[in-house]
Amino acid sequence: MLHVLTCYFLNFKVEILVTNDITFITACKGKIPKFHKGEIIMKLKIACLQMDIAFGNPEKNYQNAEKLIEAAASDQPDIIVLPELWTTGYDLTRLDTIADKGALQTIEFLKNAAKKYNVNFVGGSVANRDDKGVKNTLLIINREGELSSEYSKLHLFKLMDEHLYLEAGCEKGLFKLDNHAFAGVICYDIRFPEWIRAHTTEGAEALFVVAEWPAPRLSHWRNLLIARAIENQCFVIACNRSGSDPNNQFAGHSLVIDPWGEIIAEAGADEEILTAEIDLKLVGEIRKQIPIFEDRRPDYYK
């Protein structure tokens, strides 16, 4: 019997013909990678674009993102991550005019980049305007250039007046890339552990966080992310912005954290591309070693 399988190895898409005894590589984008029959690729290379966002200037931000994506793509990552509200920054009072209607411009921008570089995007979040208002929406684009998922920020941060200018979302941030289950949340969401747990109990192996986290609360940023990794036994990939706007200085310090809570990679305060490799095999190993998901007693958590 003949089967056709599609898999990904690093930055390559491979179509495989499988019989009972023989495996053939029939098509490959790029060089033919070495692999073993039956091997499941669990290691993913991540690139976080810690951008300095131009306040209220989408055109400038698209140009900067394009340069950073090109630079990141040269290292052949599997997933590129952008920060929160990277097209506009926190220019909330002008969102009626500068927000991306239906997020269409940003989606098209990310789709083109995904196909050009054969890379997945956790495409940060954008001010997404429709007839009902503006939402802070995270965009997931797969390496085929397809919009895989969207998530609009559930918890609005009143200290930065989000509730005055943004509408809250109501759906979970679960998504899949390269056949792995992930979750995406936005900034203030990480202060709500029950919201994160609602995603990992449904199988998310890694949590992607996009943010504009202020510098005065840098210690909270690091400690909360480490806690979310440990208590959910998952990788945490957190992409923050750098720089400042008229009202805030932002922390930078994007992080990649393993399921033990160990920091794999951390950026500084300035604009940079943070890269790291994660091995998703570790998630299953740790969840077997300390089976917290089996030992939960949710009937008492009310």
Side-chain angles (χ1 to χ4, degrees):
M1 183 177 293
L2 184 68
H3 301 278
V4 180
L5 303 177
T6 299
C7 68
Y8 294 91
F9 182 88
L10 298 180
N11 217 30
F12 303 103
K13 180 178 178 180
V14 184
E15 291 180 1
I16 304 171
L17 297 181
V18 182
T19 70
N20 290 337
D21 302 308
I22 303 173
T23 301
F24 301 94
I25 299 177
T26 61
C28 181
K29 183 172 183 178
K31 298 178 181 178
I32 296 177
K34 295 179 180 179
F35 73 101
H36 302 285
K37 183 178 178 180
E39 182 180 9
I40 299 174
I41 304 303
M42 301 295 285
K43 294 182 179 180
L44 298 174
K45 185 181 290 186
I46 311 293
C48 294
L49 308 187
Q50 184 171 284
M51 293 176 57
D52 184 354
I53 298 168
F55 185 72
N57 192 337
E59 182 178 355
K60 185 174 182 179
N61 289 319
Y62 284 121
Q63 291 172 355
N64 189 28
E66 187 173 22
K67 293 177 182 177
L68 291 171
I69 290 168
E70 181 179 11
S74 66
D75 199 29
Q76 297 186 336
D78 295 287
I79 302 174
I80 293 177
V81 191
L82 286 87
E84 179 185 15
L85 293 177
W86 63 269
T87 61
T88 61
Y90 263 91
D91 191 358
L92 300 181
T93 62
R94 295 199 304 133
L95 289 185
D96 285 346
T97 57
I98 64 174
D100 188 0
K101 188 174 182 179
L104 295 178
Q105 182 178 356
T106 309
I107 291 170
E108 188 66 19
F109 174 86
L110 294 173
K111 282 183 173 182
N112 290 337
K115 289 185 286 187
K116 180 178 180 179
Y117 297 113
N118 188 32
V119 66
N120 300 296
F121 278 97
V122 175
S125 74
V126 297
N128 175 15
R129 178 167 53 90
D130 61 21
D131 294 337
K132 297 180 180 179
V134 181
K135 292 182 179 179
N136 184 349
T137 302
L138 173 67
L139 302 170
I140 308 299
I141 309 290
N142 65 27
R143 62 174 83 235
E144 281 77 33
E146 300 166 337
L147 177 64
S148 175
S149 183
E150 299 180 31
Y151 163 71
S152 292
K153 190 174 186 177
L154 181 74
H155 302 96
L156 299 182
F157 190 46
K158 293 181 180 179
L159 287 181
M160 293 181 74
D161 291 335
E162 288 185 359
H163 63 300
L164 300 179
Y165 301 99
L166 295 168
E167 300 292 327
C170 59
E171 303 292 337
K172 290 179 182 175
L174 293 163
F175 63 93
K176 283 192 173 182
L177 289 174
D178 291 355
N179 297 316
H180 290 290
F182 299 128
V185 297
I186 302 173
C187 204
Y188 190 42
D189 283 332
I190 66 172
R191 290 188 181 272
F192 300 86
E194 62 272 39
W195 182 233
I196 308 304
R197 180 56 58 84
H199 294 75
T200 52
T201 53
E202 294 194 29
E205 301 171 272
L207 174 70
F208 288 84
V209 181
V210 302
E212 291 205 28
W213 196 277
R217 293 183 289 280
L218 172 59
S219 63
H220 288 196
W221 167 254
R222 298 179 84 255
N223 292 333
L224 287 166
L225 291 170
I226 291 169
R228 300 296 86 86
I230 294 170
E231 70 195 9
N232 290 285
Q233 298 175 323
C234 70
F235 284 94
V236 170
I237 299 97
C239 184
N240 196 24
R241 68 159 292 182
S242 65
S244 62
D245 68 17
N247 301 306
N248 303 281
Q249 181 70 37
F250 295 94
H253 286 268
S254 298
L255 288 158
V256 180
I257 305 166
D258 78 9
W260 283 121
E262 300 294 331
I263 295 173
I264 299 172
E266 181 173 3
D270 298 327
E271 181 173 274
E272 68 174 280
I273 299 170
L274 179 71
T275 61
E277 185 177 79
I278 64 173
D279 187 350
L280 294 171
K281 180 176 63 177
L282 186 60
V283 176
E285 292 175 352
I286 290 175
R287 288 178 178 179
K288 287 180 181 178
Q289 185 172 345
I290 306 177
I292 61 170
F293 290 94
E294 296 177 19
D295 295 339
R296 293 177 70 246
R297 301 187 68 186
D299 289 345
Y300 291 89
Y301 303 161
K302 299 177 181 178

Coordinates of all heavy atoms in Angstrom, one line a residue, residues 174-215:
L174 N -5.9 29.0 21.0 CA -5.3 27.7 20.6 C -5.1 27.7 19.1 O -5.9 28.2 18.3 CB -6.2 26.6 21.0 CG -6.4 26.3 22.5 CD1 -7.6 25.4 22.8 CD2 -5.1 25.7 23.1
F175 N -4.0 27.1 18.7 CA -3.7 27.0 17.3 C -2.7 25.9 17.0 O -2.1 25.3 18.0 CB -3.1 28.3 16.7 CG -1.8 28.8 17.2 CD1 -0.6 28.4 16.6 CD2 -1.8 29.6 18.4 CE1 0.6 28.8 17.1 CE2 -0.6 30.0 18.9 CZ 0.6 29.7 18.3
K176 N -2.5 25.5 15.8 CA -1.5 24.5 15.4 C -0.6 25.0 14.3 O -1.1 25.7 13.4 CB -2.2 23.2 14.9 CG -2.8 22.3 16.0 CD -3.2 20.9 15.5 CE -3.7 20.1 16.6 NZ -4.0 18.7 16.2
L177 N 0.7 24.6 14.4 CA 1.7 24.9 13.4 C 2.5 23.7 13.3 O 3.0 23.1 14.3 CB 2.5 26.1 13.8 CG 1.9 27.5 13.7 CD1 2.8 28.6 14.2 CD2 1.4 27.8 12.3
D178 N 2.8 23.2 12.1 CA 3.6 22.1 11.8 C 3.2 20.9 12.7 O 4.0 20.1 13.2 CB 5.1 22.4 12.1 CG 5.7 23.3 11.0 OD1 4.9 23.7 10.1 OD2 6.8 23.7 11.2
N179 N 1.8 20.7 12.8 CA 1.3 19.6 13.5 C 1.5 19.6 15.0 O 1.3 18.5 15.7 CB 1.7 18.2 12.9 CG 1.3 18.1 11.5 OD1 0.1 18.4 11.1 ND2 2.2 17.7 10.6
H180 N 1.9 20.7 15.6 CA 2.1 20.8 17.0 C 1.0 21.8 17.6 O 0.6 22.7 16.9 CB 3.4 21.4 17.4 CG 4.5 20.4 17.1 ND1 4.7 19.2 17.8 CD2 5.5 20.4 16.2 CE1 5.8 18.6 17.4 NE2 6.3 19.3 16.3
A181 N 0.5 21.5 18.8 CA -0.5 22.3 19.4 C 0.1 23.4 20.3 O 1.0 23.1 21.1 CB -1.4 21.4 20.3
F182 N -0.3 24.6 20.0 CA 0.3 25.8 20.8 C -0.9 26.7 21.3 O -2.0 26.4 20.9 CB 1.2 26.6 19.8 CG 2.4 25.8 19.3 CD1 2.6 25.8 17.9 CD2 3.2 25.2 20.2 CE1 3.7 25.1 17.4 CE2 4.3 24.5 19.7 CZ 4.6 24.5 18.3
A183 N -0.5 27.7 22.0 CA -1.4 28.7 22.5 C -0.8 30.0 22.4 O 0.4 30.2 22.6 CB -1.9 28.4 23.9
G184 N -1.6 31.1 22.1 CA -1.1 32.4 22.0 C -1.9 33.3 22.9 O -3.1 33.3 22.9
V185 N -1.2 34.2 23.7 CA -1.9 35.2 24.5 C -1.2 36.5 24.4 O -0.1 36.6 23.8 CB -2.0 34.8 26.0 CG1 -2.8 33.5 26.1 CG2 -0.6 34.6 26.6
I186 N -1.8 37.6 24.9 CA -1.2 38.9 24.7 C -1.0 39.6 26.1 O -2.0 39.8 26.8 CB -2.2 39.7 23.9 CG1 -2.4 39.1 22.5 CG2 -1.7 41.2 23.7 CD1 -3.5 39.7 21.6
C187 N 0.2 39.9 26.4 CA 0.7 40.8 27.4 C 0.0 40.5 28.8 O 0.3 39.6 29.5 CB 0.5 42.2 27.0 SG 1.6 43.4 27.8
Y188 N -1.0 41.4 29.1 CA -1.7 41.3 30.4 C -2.3 40.0 30.7 O -2.5 39.6 31.9 CB -2.7 42.4 30.4 CG -3.4 42.7 31.7 CD1 -2.7 42.8 33.0 CD2 -4.8 43.0 31.7 CE1 -3.4 43.1 34.1 CE2 -5.5 43.3 32.9 CZ -4.8 43.3 34.1 OH -5.4 43.6 35.3
D189 N -2.6 39.2 29.7 CA -3.1 37.8 29.9 C -2.3 37.0 30.8 O -2.9 36.1 31.4 CB -3.3 37.1 28.5 CG -4.4 37.6 27.7 OD1 -5.4 38.1 28.2 OD2 -4.3 37.5 26.4
I190 N -1.0 37.2 30.9 CA -0.2 36.3 31.6 C -0.4 36.4 33.1 O 0.1 35.6 33.9 CB 1.3 36.4 31.3 CG1 1.9 37.8 31.7 CG2 1.6 36.1 29.8 CD1 3.4 37.9 31.6
R191 N -1.1 37.5 33.6 CA -1.4 37.7 35.0 C -2.6 36.8 35.4 O -3.0 36.9 36.6 CB -1.6 39.1 35.3 CG -0.4 40.0 35.2 CD -0.7 41.4 35.8 NE 0.5 42.3 35.7 CZ 1.4 42.4 36.7 NH1 1.3 41.7 37.8 NH2 2.4 43.2 36.6
F192 N -3.2 36.1 34.5 CA -4.4 35.3 34.8 C -4.0 33.8 34.5 O -4.3 33.2 33.5 CB -5.5 35.7 33.9 CG -5.9 37.2 34.2 CD1 -5.2 38.2 33.5 CD2 -6.8 37.5 35.1 CE1 -5.5 39.5 33.7 CE2 -7.1 38.8 35.4 CZ -6.5 39.9 34.7
P193 N -3.5 33.1 35.5 CA -3.0 31.7 35.4 C -4.1 30.8 35.0 O -3.9 29.8 34.2 CB -2.4 31.4 36.7 CG -3.0 32.3 37.7 CD -3.2 33.6 36.9
E194 N -5.4 31.1 35.4 CA -6.5 30.2 35.0 C -6.7 30.3 33.5 O -7.2 29.3 32.9 CB -7.7 30.5 35.8 CG -8.3 31.9 35.6 CD -7.7 33.0 36.5 OE1 -6.5 33.0 36.8 OE2 -8.5 33.9 36.9
W195 N -6.5 31.4 32.9 CA -6.7 31.5 31.5 C -5.6 30.7 30.7 O -5.9 30.1 29.7 CB -6.6 33.0 31.1 CG -6.9 33.3 29.6 CD1 -6.1 34.0 28.8 CD2 -8.0 32.9 28.8 NE1 -6.6 34.1 27.5 CE2 -7.8 33.4 27.5 CE3 -9.1 32.1 29.1 CZ2 -8.7 33.2 26.5 CZ3 -10.0 31.9 28.0 CH2 -9.8 32.5 26.8
I196 N -4.4 30.8 31.2 CA -3.3 30.0 30.5 C -3.6 28.5 30.7 O -3.4 27.7 29.8 CB -1.9 30.4 31.1 CG1 -1.7 31.9 31.1 CG2 -0.8 29.6 30.4 CD1 -1.8 32.5 29.8
R197 N -4.0 28.1 31.9 CA -4.3 26.7 32.1 C -5.4 26.2 31.3 O -5.5 25.0 30.9 CB -4.6 26.5 33.6 CG -4.9 25.0 34.0 CD -3.8 24.0 33.7 NE -2.5 24.4 34.3 CZ -2.2 24.0 35.5 NH1 -3.0 23.4 36.3 NH2 -1.0 24.4 36.0
A198 N -6.4 27.0 30.9 CA -7.4 26.6 30.0 C -6.9 26.2 28.7 O -7.6 25.5 28.0 CB -8.4 27.8 29.9
H199 N -5.7 26.7 28.3 CA -5.1 26.3 27.0 C -4.3 25.0 27.2 O -4.3 24.1 26.3 CB -4.3 27.4 26.5 CG -5.1 28.7 26.1 ND1 -5.6 29.5 27.1 CD2 -5.4 29.2 24.9 CE1 -6.2 30.5 26.4 NE2 -6.1 30.3 25.1
T200 N -3.5 24.9 28.2 CA -2.6 23.8 28.3 C -3.4 22.5 28.7 O -2.9 21.4 28.3 CB -1.5 24.0 29.4 OG1 -2.1 24.5 30.6 CG2 -0.5 25.1 28.9
T201 N -4.5 22.6 29.3 CA -5.3 21.4 29.5 C -5.9 20.9 28.2 O -6.4 19.7 28.2 CB -6.5 21.7 30.5 OG1 -7.2 22.8 30.1 CG2 -6.0 21.9 31.9
E202 N -5.9 21.7 27.2 CA -6.3 21.2 25.9 C -5.1 20.8 25.0 O -5.3 20.7 23.8 CB -7.2 22.3 25.2 CG -8.5 22.5 25.9 CD -9.5 23.3 25.1 OE1 -9.5 23.2 23.9 OE2 -10.3 24.0 25.7
G203 N -3.9 20.7 25.6 CA -2.8 20.1 24.9 C -1.7 21.0 24.4 O -0.8 20.5 23.7
A204 N -1.8 22.3 24.7 CA -0.8 23.2 24.2 C 0.6 22.8 24.7 O 0.7 22.7 25.9 CB -1.1 24.7 24.5
E205 N 1.5 22.7 23.8 CA 2.9 22.3 24.2 C 3.8 23.5 24.5 O 4.8 23.4 25.1 CB 3.5 21.5 23.1 CG 2.8 20.2 22.8 CD 3.3 19.5 21.6 OE1 2.9 19.8 20.5 OE2 4.2 18.6 21.8
A206 N 3.4 24.7 23.9 CA 4.2 25.9 24.1 C 3.2 27.1 24.1 O 2.2 27.1 23.5 CB 5.2 26.1 23.0
L207 N 3.5 28.1 24.9 CA 2.8 29.3 25.1 C 3.5 30.4 24.4 O 4.7 30.7 24.8 CB 2.5 29.6 26.5 CG 1.8 30.9 26.8 CD1 0.3 30.9 26.4 CD2 1.9 31.2 28.3
F208 N 2.9 31.1 23.4 CA 3.5 32.2 22.8 C 2.9 33.5 23.4 O 1.6 33.6 23.4 CB 3.3 32.2 21.3 CG 4.2 31.2 20.6 CD1 3.8 29.9 20.5 CD2 5.4 31.5 20.0 CE1 4.5 28.9 19.9 CE2 6.2 30.6 19.4 CZ 5.8 29.3 19.3
V209 N 3.7 34.4 23.9 CA 3.2 35.6 24.5 C 3.8 36.8 23.7 O 5.0 36.9 23.5 CB 3.7 35.8 25.9 CG1 3.2 37.1 26.6 CG2 3.3 34.5 26.8
V210 N 2.9 37.7 23.2 CA 3.3 38.9 22.5 C 3.0 40.1 23.4 O 1.9 40.1 24.0 CB 2.7 39.0 21.1 CG1 3.1 37.8 20.3 CG2 1.2 39.2 21.1
A211 N 3.8 41.1 23.5 CA 3.6 42.1 24.5 C 4.2 43.4 24.2 O 5.1 43.6 23.4 CB 4.2 41.6 25.9
E212 N 3.7 44.4 24.9 CA 4.3 45.7 25.1 C 4.4 46.0 26.6 O 3.7 46.7 27.2 CB 3.6 46.9 24.4 CG 3.6 46.8 22.9 CD 3.4 48.1 22.2 OE1 3.7 49.2 22.8 OE2 2.9 48.1 21.1
W213 N 5.4 45.3 27.2 CA 5.5 45.3 28.7 C 6.4 46.4 29.1 O 7.5 46.5 28.7 CB 6.0 43.9 29.2 CG 5.8 43.7 30.6 CD1 6.5 44.1 31.7 CD2 4.7 42.9 31.2 NE1 6.0 43.7 32.9 CE2 4.9 42.9 32.6 CE3 3.6 42.2 30.7 CZ2 4.0 42.3 33.5 CZ3 2.8 41.6 31.6 CH2 3.0 41.6 32.9
P214 N 5.9 47.3 30.1 CA 6.7 48.4 30.5 C 7.9 48.0 31.3 O 7.9 47.1 32.1 CB 5.7 49.3 31.3 CG 4.4 48.8 30.9 CD 4.6 47.3 30.6
A215 N 9.0 48.8 31.2 CA 10.2 48.6 31.9 C 10.1 48.6 33.5 O 10.8 47.8 34.1 CB 11.3 49.6 31.5

